[in-house]
Amino acid sequence: MPMGSLPALLIKHLLFSPVHYDPAQEIVYKGEHRFSYAEFRQRVARLAAMLKAQGVEPGDTVAVMDYDSHRYLECYFAVPMIGAVLHTINVRLSSEQLVYTISHAEDDLILVHDEFIPLLAPIRGRIESVRKFIRLTDETSDESDDRVDPAGLNFVGEYEQLLQAAQPLETFPDLDENTRATCFYTTGTTGLPKGVYFSHRQLVLHTLTSLLTLASNGTQGRFHREDVYMPITPMFHVHAWGIPYMATLLGVKQVYPGKYIPHQLARLIETEGVTFSHCVPTILHMLLNDAKNADCDLSRWKVLIGGSSLPKALCRQAMGRGVDIYTGYGMSETCPILTLSQLSDDELALPMDEQIERRVRTGRPLPLVALRVVDAEGREVTADDHAPGEVQVRAPWLTRGYLKDEKQSERLWAGGWLHTHDVACRDHTGSIRITDRTKDVIKVGGEWLSSLELEDVLMQHPDVSEVAVIGQPAARWGEIPLALVVPRAGTEPGERELTHHVREFVDKGMLPKESILLKVRFVDQVDKTSVGKTNKVALREKYLT
Amino acid sequence: MPMGSLPALLIKHLLFSPVHYDPAQEIVYKGEHRFSYAEFRQRVARLAAMLKAQGVEPGDTVAVMDYDSHRYLECYFAVPMIGAVLHTINVRLSSEQLVYTISHAEDDLILVHDEFIPLLAPIRGRIESVRKFIRLTDETSDESDDRVDPAGLNFVGEYEQLLQAAQPLETFPDLDENTRATCFYTTGTTGLPKGVYFSHRQLVLHTLTSLLTLASNGTQGRFHREDVYMPITPMFHVHAWGIPYMATLLGVKQVYPGKYIPHQLARLIETEGVTFSHCVPTILHMLLNDAKNADCDLSRWKVLIGGSSLPKALCRQAMGRGVDIYTGYGMSETCPILTLSQLSDDELALPMDEQIERRVRTGRPLPLVALRVVDAEGREVTADDHAPGEVQVRAPWLTRGYLKDEKQSERLWAGGWLHTHDVACRDHTGSIRITDRTKDVIKVGGEWLSSLELEDVLMQHPDVSEVAVIGQPAARWGEIPLALVVPRAGTEPGERELTHHVREFVDKGMLPKESILLKVRFVDQVDKTSVGKTNKVALREKYLT
């Protein structure tokens, strides 16, 4: 480095100076395999050398299809550190979406876990950019030696064996910090998947700022150097919210659980002493309600909830188990973290109901995040307005656009702000509270009615297990709310019972009066997207046409 | 901002998104004046507008001569935010050094506190770049209205009055993040003062990374959102270690003490509930030993020590008062923080002596700091070597060179590493331990003897109040250590007593055997530099020639 040149912000710097210095600190896979940080760093260097030996060049794209594992973490570092792009493939995509995303990203090499080989086998002929496949397996090496390749992917080898055969790479290049490091696809409920991408600089700044915010809270929910970390958000999903990078920078013990099986997750929390995780509400719901987990001690566990809004009832249930629960907000396009709902020490002293209110809110913007809420007239909404608007953001770590899609990129960044398409109100604690997606808001006689708020109220009825509220066209009002309700097992609620429940909230001034127009329909299940969110597009098609 | 452009890292972003959202949170001056963060932000906007109205253009240099104050904090933000450079003048410089630094920095405007007007009056004719002066005063505005200008500086006005008259600036420019934000001068013990400078990007990255490290420790010494902050390192000294920027980003209560008067500092700690400060050992020594502070409750106070090494005796004394004390390391050239000596929860459970050992060590490098220790042969020293070497660093926030001094800049960055001229050992906790300055090491018969280690041992003798050890030329050995000792009031130690004390440490293997060559000379005082460090150059001149 010549005199006076400025070191770039590179992913390799996150790896080589953890704050907590303990080369013996562990990275654990499924409670079965353990690696020290010293070994981990050496494995990253071996993986980098191995990928280069397989012909991976700067700018090439290396894709991964795996459950949450130490291997995935190694790829988070090694792939960008040699100047290649890590494509984290969503293994829940349909065949057609897989063909589209793999081809669109121009993947050169795919590392694929045994369980996902059947997804690739039938489309092998249609993903022409892919030159090589590497097998990821949880089987012992003896078994894998003998294994044949029924899918015809012509593996160049098995990950563990290739790693052991490689000489660790000694130095990693000093890349331009704007070099692309990762890419992945976001599947809306309509249209083709859209690719987003992030540079070394963006991932480093996201790591520093998010970790600073998580760590600096007084007491509640903070992530620090004595924690034990386990992700329960898939690593293909927005870098597991970037938290594996933060955990590595902190130098804490990390536990990667493999496939998510509720009672095994709970067992890992107990046996490995996990204190910090993050997940979507659905997974938390499964974990808390699995009968096998009834005796599991979760009282040292902090969990950050994101992906969709946290129902108050679920928040209360988690708190009843001693869980320190709160929420974050972000999206694929935003790396992802934009806001966190951390409670101050004063707020921690509030009565349960008020605390829940604070814990489930969307939260305050992180430092360096400029966030505004803009109403239908393009006017910026303040806390005094009590009115909803669209959340628009700027921050150093937002995707610069959609991959190879200028038109959608321009729409995303219209007016120089990234449009989240989320609808929120501001409050006097500096927080925003997401009330809906712009396209899911129910427009009743000119007023915006939040489908999420109605769902939240309905979930508080003891007979409701799941619910989705959509807008049903209605002559006089334009739209009225329609609730699709899955009753709790063993109950048979009627429509009148539930509309009465909603009316009580209207009477208390906790819901807009238009809510009394609610219709209810009982259903067996509510359709979900590939990442477990309610699929309202599918629901509208199913129940409104 | 056009679609896809990347937001820059700018000081204005630190101001506008504090993590702790409380517009009523206070910034306090001397316990007498209180401003909310909302007012503070408005004052920064007024100051910016006022400076522009006074003709300050991007690239101009605005200098400040003030005690630690809310005004100084306002300048930390407003000056760089309009694209000008903030020159933090060391008010302890000599007349000649003031003339040199003000002229060398080409200051355009100086904001000067009443107390420092007498420093400027006699040199006014020699600082030709300065076009305007603004008066800073703690007097009420009635008094200041009537005040004449005995120094002939022709003030354009008084700060508070000018601020009140200004309309707040509404938007701040989107500067290039590499725009210079600050500059100041480091006065070695030889030669002319040397100017160092830092960009917006560097200050933002220093803020994020240092704060992340301070905040993320498990328990010991962490700086978080419930803290109350008071600097006790002058704000002209390396941006008060950059911590005012961190405190503002956190959104915590801040207390600015004005002139440092030990019993007033202690009073502020009690009355304002200060929980986090930083200072040099000398100030801590004065604060702990001022008889007026004997009853002061310091048990909630955390203090980060830097500037020079923390004597174990002082560390023990502070801990006896319940103070959570530890150390940081850095220098003017490094923005400044490079390492912190935070203790893990395990280390906090160690016996007192071992804890002190950890608390006074120089500490572990921050994330993004690459640090190596290089011996006289240019070989990198490891923890297994038990040998000292020079500390060399790279990080995104180091000065790119000395202002307008290419030759010294090249020496500073020789070989692409910043040379600290500090001598340190590595240990197995990942820490370094500074043992000396390269030029202060005593070379006894080919061995490097640390003057600081000898001073630390001598300070543990009950009759020693202050001590400096320098190398005295000696025919046979090259150099032998000479201790200049200020005896504690009321004691009369003899040379034999002190050399015996040192021999005990040699016998226990805690000092190299060359230490027994120590000579002792009793003196009335030990000469200090303008920032309160032992001035060994002056001592060598005085006692060796």
Side-chain angles (χ1 to χ4, degrees):
Chain A
M1 191 173 62
M3 186 269 289
S5 78
L6 285 172
L9 300 176
L10 299 176
I11 284 172
K12 68 174 177 176
H13 298 134
L14 301 180
L15 180 62
F16 289 115
S17 16
V19 188
H20 183 86
Y21 180 87
D22 180 2
Q25 183 64 280
E26 286 179 324
I27 294 170
V28 182
Y29 178 50
K30 299 205 311 192
E32 292 161 8
H33 302 277
R34 288 164 195 281
F35 305 90
S36 70
Y37 268 61
E39 287 172 300
F40 164 64
R41 273 191 285 270
Q42 218 214 25
R43 287 172 60 89
V44 167
R46 285 181 191 272
L47 173 55
M50 184 268 271
L51 290 171
K52 284 169 75 88
Q54 292 298 340
V56 174
E57 299 280 343
D60 281 358
T61 301
V62 174
V64 177
M65 298 176 80
D66 196 5
Y67 292 121
D68 289 8
S69 70
H70 60 298
R71 296 176 295 248
Y72 219 138
L73 185 69
E74 288 154 9
C75 292
Y76 268 39
F77 286 92
V79 174
M81 281 166 63
I82 58 170
V85 181
L86 174 71
H87 173 196
T88 53
I89 293 179
N90 180 346
V91 295
R92 297 181 192 150
L93 294 181
S94 68
S95 262
E96 287 311 304
Q97 287 174 321
L98 280 176
V99 170
Y100 176 80
T101 56
I102 292 170
S103 307
H104 190 263
E106 302 173 38
D107 293 347
D108 295 283
L109 185 152
I110 300 182
L111 299 109
V112 55
H113 185 278
D114 283 344
E115 292 226 13
F116 306 117
I117 293 174
L119 300 180
L120 288 185
I123 62 172
R124 174 61 190 112
R126 298 170 61 201
I127 48 176
E128 290 168 15
S129 66
V130 185
R131 293 171 311 201
K132 292 183 176 178
F133 295 88
I134 290 173
R135 183 180 161 218
L136 308 175
T137 186
D138 290 350
E139 294 175 16
T140 63
S141 47
D142 278 355
E143 290 169 303
S144 61
D145 276 349
D146 299 335
R147 193 177 169 109
V148 287
D149 177 19
L153 295 179
N154 295 314
F155 290 114
V156 295
E158 185 273 328
Y159 186 84
E160 208 54 43
Q161 291 178 342
L162 290 170
L163 236 60
Q164 292 320 314
Q167 283 299 314
L169 195 65
E170 285 191 13
T171 57
F172 290 87
D174 282 317
L175 306 164
D176 181 315
E177 68 187 28
N178 294 313
T179 302
R180 186 173 303 169
T182 61
C183 82
F184 54 90
Y185 286 77
T186 169
T187 48
T189 38
T190 53
L192 290 166
K194 296 193 286 278
V196 295
Y197 53 97
F198 301 94
S199 66
H200 284 255
R201 171 186 162 109
Q202 292 185 306
L203 287 165
V204 169
L205 290 173
H206 181 268
T207 303
L208 296 177
T209 311
S210 303
L211 182 52
L212 179 166
T213 311
L214 286 167
S216 65
N217 202 25
T219 308
Q220 190 276 317
R222 76 185 199 88
F223 185 29
H224 58 73
R225 283 174 234 171
E226 307 283 341
D227 273 318
V228 176
Y229 166 65
M230 180 171 80
I232 322 185
T233 309
M235 295 179 81
F236 64 73
H237 190 61
V238 210
H239 331 104
W241 305 355
I243 302 187
Y245 286 121
M246 300 176 213
T248 306
L249 185 73
L250 275 183
V252 297
K253 177 174 169 181
Q254 303 183 50
V255 180
Y256 288 86
K259 189 174 183 174
Y260 295 165
I261 300 160
H263 74 272
Q264 287 179 3
L265 293 171
R267 188 183 58 81
L268 284 172
I269 291 172
E270 269 200 336
T271 57
E272 299 293 339
V274 172
T275 57
F276 187 78
S277 295
H278 46 87
C279 65
V280 294
T282 318
I283 293 272
L284 178 68
H285 186 268
M286 294 197 311
L287 197 149
L288 291 177
N289 292 295
D290 188 319
K292 293 199 189 102
N293 298 342
D295 295 333
C296 182
D297 178 9
L298 300 175
S299 64
R300 292 183 59 224
W301 195 45
K302 294 168 279 191
V303 65
L304 177 61
I305 300 294
S308 53
S309 77
L310 172 62
K312 284 181 195 159
L314 185 59
C315 179
R316 186 184 301 273
Q317 189 190 1
M319 288 174 74
R321 295 284 287 270
V323 178
D324 183 356
I325 184 170
Y326 62 120
T327 55
Y329 163 63
M331 49 202 286
S332 297
E333 288 82 349
T334 64
C335 201
I337 305 179
L338 294 173
T339 76
L340 288 170
S341 75
Q342 297 167 307
L343 274 65
S344 70
D345 283 5
D346 281 349
E347 289 175 316
L348 259 188
L350 291 172
M352 181 69 121
D353 282 349
E354 284 181 65
Q355 251 193 65
I356 290 176
E357 200 73 51
R358 310 277 171 127
R359 287 177 186 265
V360 305
R361 69 189 164 187
T362 312
R364 281 185 289 265
L366 264 53
L368 309 189
V369 172
L371 184 151
R372 64 180 197 180
V373 177
V374 180
D375 71 13
E377 282 81 46
R379 212 178 50 85
E380 206 174 325
V381 169
T382 70
D384 293 322
D385 293 328
H386 303 289
E390 191 202 13
V391 178
Q392 300 178 358
V393 285
R394 288 177 180 167
W397 50 80
L398 312 184
T399 189
R400 300 180 78 167
Y402 292 115
L403 210 53
K404 301 192 278 189
D405 189 341
E406 213 162 303
K407 204 175 139 202
Q408 293 281 2
S409 300
E410 274 171 29
R411 285 187 54 192
L412 180 68
W413 278 101
W417 289 82
L418 186 145
H419 292 250
T420 64
H421 296 291
D422 282 314
V423 174
C425 294
R426 279 194 170 281
D427 71 24
H428 288 281
T429 70
S431 281
I432 56 164
R433 192 166 46 84
I434 301 278
T435 57
D436 228 328
R437 294 285 293 167
T438 45
K439 60 182 183 305
D440 293 335
V441 163
I442 300 156
K443 285 116 186 158
V444 184
E447 289 300 308
W448 279 14
L449 199 62
S450 162
S451 62
L452 294 187
E453 282 187 335
L454 267 169
E455 288 164 11
D456 191 53
V457 161
L458 285 164
M459 279 301 286
Q460 292 178 47
H461 190 282
D463 295 349
V464 174
S465 171
E466 268 192 279
V467 61
V469 173
I470 55 179
Q472 176 176 292
R476 178 165 165 205
W477 298 98
E479 282 184 346
I480 57 167
L482 170 66
L484 303 162
V485 172
V486 182
R488 192 170 295 276
T491 71
E492 281 188 23
E495 175 166 23
R496 238 194 5 208
E497 215 177 313
L498 296 184
T499 51
H500 178 74
H501 173 76
V502 164
R503 187 182 287 270
E504 282 179 21
F505 282 77
V506 174
D507 290 345
K508 286 186 220 152
M510 294 165 73
L511 279 178
K513 62 181 190 311
E514 290 81 3
S515 309
I516 59 166
L517 297 169
L518 181 81
K519 297 278 168 210
V520 178
R521 186 160 165 181
F522 294 96
V523 296
D524 291 336
Q525 59 167 42
V526 167
D527 298 56
K528 298 281 182 357
T529 67
S530 64
V531 294
K533 297 190 195 182
T534 302
N535 187 342
K536 295 205 173 170
V537 172
L539 291 174
R540 281 188 207 103
E541 271 177 27
K542 201 158 159 183
Y543 295 104
L544 300 181
T545 55
Chain B
M1 190 173 64
M3 185 271 286
S5 79
L6 285 171
L9 299 175
L10 298 176
I11 285 172
K12 68 174 177 177
H13 298 134
L14 301 180
L15 180 62
F16 290 115
S17 11
V19 187
H20 182 85
Y21 180 86
D22 180 4
Q25 183 63 281
E26 286 180 324
I27 294 170
V28 182
Y29 178 49
K30 299 204 312 194
E32 292 160 9
H33 303 277
R34 289 165 194 280
F35 305 90
S36 70
Y37 268 62
E39 287 172 300
F40 165 64
R41 274 190 285 269
Q42 216 211 29
R43 286 171 61 89
V44 168
R46 285 182 191 273
L47 173 55
M50 184 268 272
L51 291 172
K52 284 169 76 88
Q54 292 298 340
V56 174
E57 299 280 345
D60 281 358
T61 301
V62 174
V64 177
M65 298 175 79
D66 195 3
Y67 293 120
D68 290 8
S69 70
H70 60 299
R71 296 176 296 248
Y72 220 138
L73 185 69
E74 287 153 11
C75 291
Y76 268 39
F77 286 93
V79 174
M81 280 165 65
I82 58 170
V85 181
L86 174 71
H87 174 196
T88 53
I89 293 180
N90 181 344
V91 295
R92 296 180 192 150
L93 294 181
S94 69
S95 265
E96 287 311 303
Q97 287 175 321
L98 280 176
V99 171
Y100 176 80
T101 55
I102 291 170
S103 306
H104 191 264
E106 301 173 39
D107 292 347
D108 296 282
L109 186 153
I110 300 182
L111 299 108
V112 56
H113 185 278
D114 283 344
E115 291 226 18
F116 305 118
I117 293 173
L119 300 179
L120 288 185
I123 61 171
R124 173 64 188 108
R126 298 171 62 201
I127 47 176
E128 290 168 16
S129 65
V130 184
R131 295 173 311 214
K132 293 184 176 177
F133 295 88
I134 290 172
R135 184 181 162 218
L136 309 175
T137 186
D138 290 349
E139 294 175 16
T140 64
S141 47
D142 278 355
E143 290 170 304
S144 61
D145 276 349
D146 299 337
R147 196 179 165 108
V148 288
D149 177 20
L153 296 178
N154 294 313
F155 290 114
V156 294
E158 185 272 329
Y159 186 85
E160 208 54 43
Q161 292 180 343
L162 291 170
L163 236 60
Q164 293 318 316
Q167 285 298 316
L169 195 66
E170 285 191 13
T171 56
F172 290 88
D174 282 317
L175 306 164
D176 181 313
E177 68 187 27
N178 294 313
T179 302
R180 187 174 302 170
T182 62
C183 81
F184 55 90
Y185 286 78
T186 168
T187 49
T189 39
T190 54
L192 291 166
K194 296 192 288 274
V196 295
Y197 53 96
F198 302 94
S199 66
H200 284 254
R201 171 185 163 109
Q202 293 186 304
L203 287 166
V204 170
L205 290 173
H206 181 268
T207 303
L208 296 178
T209 312
S210 303
L211 181 52
L212 179 166
T213 312
L214 286 166
S216 65
N217 202 27
T219 309
Q220 191 276 316
R222 74 186 200 91
F223 186 29
H224 57 74
R225 284 174 233 172
E226 307 284 341
D227 273 317
V228 176
Y229 166 66
M230 180 171 79
I232 321 183
T233 308
M235 293 179 81
F236 64 73
H237 190 62
V238 209
H239 331 103
W241 305 356
I243 302 187
Y245 286 121
M246 300 176 214
T248 306
L249 185 73
L250 275 184
V252 297
K253 177 173 170 183
Q254 303 184 49
V255 180
Y256 288 86
K259 189 174 182 175
Y260 295 165
I261 301 161
H263 73 271
Q264 287 180 4
L265 293 171
R267 188 183 57 80
L268 284 172
I269 292 172
E270 269 198 336
T271 57
E272 299 293 340
V274 172
T275 57
F276 187 77
S277 296
H278 47 87
C279 65
V280 294
T282 318
I283 294 271
L284 179 67
H285 186 268
M286 295 197 310
L287 197 150
L288 292 178
N289 292 294
D290 188 319
K292 293 196 188 106
N293 298 342
D295 294 333
C296 181
D297 178 8
L298 299 174
S299 64
R300 291 183 59 222
W301 195 45
K302 293 168 280 190
V303 64
L304 176 62
I305 300 295
S308 53
S309 78
L310 172 61
K312 284 181 195 157
L314 185 58
C315 179
R316 187 183 301 273
Q317 190 190 1
M319 288 175 73
R321 294 285 287 272
V323 178
D324 183 356
I325 184 171
Y326 62 120
T327 56
Y329 163 64
M331 50 202 285
S332 297
E333 287 82 349
T334 63
C335 200
I337 306 180
L338 293 173
T339 75
L340 288 170
S341 75
Q342 297 166 305
L343 275 64
S344 69
D345 283 5
D346 280 348
E347 289 175 316
L348 260 187
L350 291 172
M352 180 70 120
D353 281 349
E354 283 180 65
Q355 252 193 64
I356 291 176
E357 199 74 50
R358 311 274 171 128
R359 287 175 185 267
V360 305
R361 70 189 163 187
T362 311
R364 281 185 287 263
L366 264 54
L368 310 189
V369 172
L371 185 152
R372 63 180 198 178
V373 177
V374 179
D375 71 12
E377 282 82 46
R379 213 177 49 86
E380 208 176 322
V381 169
T382 70
D384 293 323
D385 292 328
H386 302 289
E390 191 202 13
V391 178
Q392 300 178 0
V393 285
R394 289 177 180 167
W397 50 80
L398 313 184
T399 188
R400 299 179 78 166
Y402 292 115
L403 210 51
K404 302 192 277 189
D405 189 340
E406 213 164 301
K407 205 176 134 197
Q408 292 282 2
S409 300
E410 276 172 27
R411 285 187 53 191
L412 179 68
W413 277 101
W417 290 80
L418 187 145
H419 292 250
T420 65
H421 296 294
D422 283 314
V423 174
C425 295
R426 280 194 170 281
D427 72 23
H428 287 282
T429 70
S431 282
I432 56 164
R433 193 166 46 85
I434 301 279
T435 56
D436 226 328
R437 295 285 293 165
T438 46
K439 61 182 183 304
D440 293 336
V441 163
I442 299 157
K443 285 112 185 163
V444 185
E447 289 301 310
W448 278 15
L449 200 62
S450 162
S451 62
L452 294 186
E453 282 188 335
L454 265 169
E455 287 165 11
D456 190 54
V457 162
L458 285 163
M459 279 300 286
Q460 294 179 44
H461 190 279
D463 294 350
V464 174
S465 171
E466 268 193 278
V467 61
V469 174
I470 55 178
Q472 176 176 291
R476 182 169 161 199
W477 298 100
E479 282 184 344
I480 57 167
L482 170 65
L484 302 163
V485 172
V486 182
R488 191 170 295 276
T491 69
E492 282 188 23
E495 175 167 19
R496 233 186 18 199
E497 217 177 309
L498 296 184
T499 51
H500 179 75
H501 172 76
V502 164
R503 186 182 287 271
E504 283 179 20
F505 281 77
V506 173
D507 290 345
K508 285 186 221 152
M510 294 166 74
L511 280 177
K513 62 182 189 315
E514 291 80 2
S515 309
I516 60 166
L517 297 169
L518 181 81
K519 297 281 168 208
V520 177
R521 189 159 163 179
F522 295 97
V523 296
D524 292 335
Q525 60 168 40
V526 167
D527 298 56
K528 297 279 182 357
T529 67
S530 63
V531 293
K533 297 192 196 181
T534 303
N535 187 342
K536 295 204 174 173
V537 171
L539 291 174
R540 281 187 206 104
E541 268 176 29
K542 202 158 157 183
Y543 295 105
L544 299 181
T545 55

